[in-house]
Amino acid sequence: VTVILRYEGLPKLPVPPLNQTCDRYLAVLEPIIESEELNQTRTLVEEFQRPGGVGERLQQGLERRAHKAENWLSDWWLQMAYLDYRMPVVIHSSPGVVLPRLEFSDRQGQIRYAAKLIAGVLDFKTMIDNETLPVEYLGGRPLCMSQYYRVLSSCRIPGIKSDSVVNYASNKTPPRHITVVHNFQFYVLDVYNSDCTPLTVDQLYVQLEKICNSSLQTNKEPVGILTSNHRNSWGKAYANLIRDKTNKESVRAIQKSIFTVCLDAPMPRASDDMYRTRAAVQMLHGGGSRWNSGNRWFDKTLQFIVGEDGACGLIYEHAPAEGPPIVALIDHVVEYTKKSDIVRTPMAPLPMPQKLCFNISPELKKDIEEAKQNMNIMVQDLDMKVHVFSYFGKNIPKSYKLSPDAFIQVALQLAYYRCVHCCATYESASLRMFRLGRTDTIRSASVDSATFVRAMDDQSIQVEKVALLEKAVKAHRAYTDMAIRGQAIDRHLLGLKLQAIEDLSALPDIFMDTSYAVANHYNLSTSQVPAKTDCVMCFGPVVPDGYGVCYNPMEEHINFAISAFNSCADTSATRLAHALEDALLDMKALLEQTPKAKL
């Protein structure tokens, strides 16, 4: 019964018409593919959608699948986008979130805040458990709430070739503990009293203090760093690790826990303008094996990070959920932590939290050393810049009746074009209007955005630049609307390709074509993750020569997190941040030069 409530009455994800997707595919290729190559692709697409041809057969297979399944895409997507993906989840998959800097700078402040944060999450969990979470809406339509039921008491399990996800929330006896990590040591902390009430902030404080006092030395092997390795290497090490009974029980306790809290050691001091950038890498990877990267279990769906120096945030494993449910949880928790603690609890003595033990064989020690080295290489390679654009926020585009998200995306197109050229751009669109919906791609590089960015710096064109800007913003808005209604092209094409893999011995030419590879090589991988809290989410690029750009548009400023890889000579997070700032200011100036009456 409970599962039905989570998407009660929601429509199934549609399979768009084949011809519509083919036409739109050619349109999105136009700004990013050379004309000769595009002509070749046109021929392949015509061949693919010929009546009675291979495209039609695959389309019918997909429609049959859609008829039978709750969601024709969701299982395929989970498997392909996450569980079969073999790169480390760190940087390559798991997003981090940086919360506003907190005022404490000592162990006591750290524990106090962590206690409030845990209480806030448990408060949110009550709504999940009682199914009293208010249903969210988008444009007046209800959204699927199922992702909220997947983030607590769940964990990714490594395999040799593919991973899996377990969720213990719906067990007969759901977990009553969280995991706390301090100085690389893991503890089980029961967060409910015997009468099933959650521990109060005071009680949690006392328990966290006990943990910190018993985990003072840091000479322990950082077992958690194994979770940061390449998935196949970690899969093999995992099989070794859990051969030992003690280790297996310890690992199971972490996997079953409701969530994890990482009490981090302070990082080297950073100047105020560098603070958010430093905090972002702290959330994404922990700073390397010398710092806090071993103070994690990266397979855990939710890990809250509370640094002794006031740097706070979280990192989440991406397989079970997208950013918005995580941010809704954060908004709730941040509000909760601001409330003053009124409850003074009579302190009945609570049992000591249980320390999890690990027996480290020489072979495991070698695995840990290898994971440390790989982590440090990744840390060195990540180029991160958190940039607070302070000149304006949503207020300016809204005053011109333009979509703020589309405005920012067009600015990104302009910034990237000025640095390089037009490129395939990914922006995630939510499919939560449909049962079990995840995401589709908004392709921000369009014919209209390309026309605008080429004209913007062309001195010979003066008059119609504002009209071109407007047109580009509106085209983006239109593509977004189409995507959230399940009519975008990317997941449909992927479905046809996966259907072909199931049905046919050979892949159709359209998927072997260079244009398809170029279209899926996202030099810009972007996401708008709006929050009430003044925070920003961050993630790594999805290609070696690309950027990851996540942003949270507030009313009068915009938080951007931009990532790139140092190993690519052509990318620089700082350079893109500056180009983005210029682009946004230039676009605003362009709007201001034109009397509002015209718009």
Side-chain angles (χ1 to χ4, degrees), residues 332-439:
H332 182 89
V333 171
V334 168
E335 275 312 302
Y336 189 93
T337 58
K338 289 178 185 162
K339 294 200 291 208
S340 56
D341 324 332
I342 323 137
V343 207
R344 277 285 177 259
T345 41
M347 295 308 262
L350 291 162
M352 174 69 198
Q354 175 205 345
K355 182 170 180 172
L356 295 175
C357 298
F358 289 95
N359 297 320
I360 306 295
S361 65
E363 199 177 351
L364 276 172
K365 193 166 168 48
K366 211 171 98 226
D367 291 333
I368 289 172
E369 286 311 310
E370 182 201 315
K372 277 188 196 171
Q373 282 173 1
N374 290 344
M375 175 54 113
N376 295 339
I377 293 167
M378 284 199 291
V379 166
Q380 289 301 306
D381 194 23
L382 185 70
D383 171 23
M384 188 82 208
K385 174 81 179 138
V386 173
H387 183 74
V388 180
F389 177 82
S390 53
Y391 298 95
F392 61 86
K394 292 185 286 198
N395 52 349
I396 291 295
K398 283 200 311 208
S399 73
Y400 288 93
K401 299 199 164 38
L402 296 171
S403 147
D405 180 58
F407 189 82
I408 293 167
Q409 284 287 336
V410 172
L412 260 169
Q413 289 300 309
L414 179 57
Y416 192 85
Y417 179 74
R418 285 169 167 178
C419 294
V420 203
H421 50 68
C422 293
C423 73
T425 305
Y426 181 108
E427 182 190 0
S428 49
S430 172
L431 290 177
R432 284 177 55 209
M433 279 186 184
F434 304 100
R435 285 179 215 182
L436 302 177
R438 293 289 301 249
T439 58

Side-chain angles (χ1 to χ4, degrees), residues 486-558:
Q487 298 297 317
I489 63 169
D490 280 273
R491 300 297 182 264
H492 185 202
L493 286 171
L494 176 71
L496 293 165
K497 182 182 169 182
L498 293 173
Q499 192 66 41
I501 291 169
E502 281 191 7
D503 291 359
L504 308 168
S505 49
L507 264 187
D509 293 339
I510 178 178
F511 300 118
M512 309 296 280
D513 179 31
T514 320
S515 295
Y516 188 69
V518 173
N520 287 293
H521 186 91
Y522 295 109
N523 289 93
L524 282 176
S525 173
T526 73
S527 187
Q528 172 185 245
V529 184
K532 296 191 191 85
T533 308
D534 194 9
C535 63
V536 64
M537 191 172 273
C538 47
F539 45 74
V542 295
V543 294
D545 57 343
Y547 291 98
V549 183
C550 196
Y551 51 97
N552 177 13
M554 309 294 283
E555 202 52 44
E556 293 181 9
H557 68 277
I558 308 167

Side-chain angles (χ1 to χ4, degrees), residues 269-284:
R269 298 215 53 144
S271 61
D272 282 354
D273 59 328
M274 278 301 291
Y275 169 76
R276 278 173 179 251
T277 296
R278 266 280 320 289
V281 298
Q282 167 77 344
M283 302 313 140
L284 269 184

